[in-house]
Amino acid sequence: MAMVPGTYEEWEHCITVECGIPLTAQYVEERIQALENESDHHTQKFIDRWGRQHHAQTLGWFRQAEERLRQ
């Protein structure tokens, strides 16, 4: 697997297995709120480090996780 995930499945594996963070409804909601707030210091640092395209992709993956949790 690449250092930066390229698919939802790679991203989910990175979060849940490599980082050991469960994708709970609360965690996913908090991350979506933070990533949507470009005034947030951590979001600014994320964008500076990884770029706007990866930021948008990551936000999309969190939204996808949110949708899966609703099913």
Side-chain angles (χ1 to χ4, degrees), residues 1-15 18 46 49-58 61:
M1 180 167 59
M3 184 178 134
V4 177
T7 66
Y8 176 85
E9 289 74 19
E10 290 174 352
W11 171 82
E12 182 181 45
H13 176 84
C14 182
I15 296 290
E18 301 294 325
F46 184 98
R49 179 167 186 181
W50 299 104
R52 290 197 173 277
Q53 182 177 358
H54 187 66
H55 168 261
Q57 183 65 69
T58 302
W61 287 328

Side-chain angles (χ1 to χ4, degrees), residues 10-71:
E10 290 174 352
W11 171 82
E12 182 181 45
H13 176 84
C14 182
I15 296 290
T16 61
V17 176
E18 301 294 325
C19 297
I21 301 170
L23 289 174
T24 65
Q26 180 179 349
Y27 175 74
V28 169
E29 181 181 333
E30 288 172 357
R31 295 307 307 139
I32 289 171
Q33 287 177 3
L35 288 167
E36 286 178 335
N37 180 3
E38 292 192 23
S39 297
D40 181 88
H41 174 74
H42 296 290
T43 300
Q44 289 174 358
K45 293 196 67 87
F46 184 98
I47 293 169
D48 288 346
R49 179 167 186 181
W50 299 104
R52 290 197 173 277
Q53 182 177 358
H54 187 66
H55 168 261
Q57 183 65 69
T58 302
L59 181 55
W61 287 328
F62 273 107
R63 288 181 177 144
Q64 189 173 345
E66 180 180 50
E67 229 7 79
R68 288 180 180 212
L69 287 167
R70 289 183 180 157
Q71 297 176 358

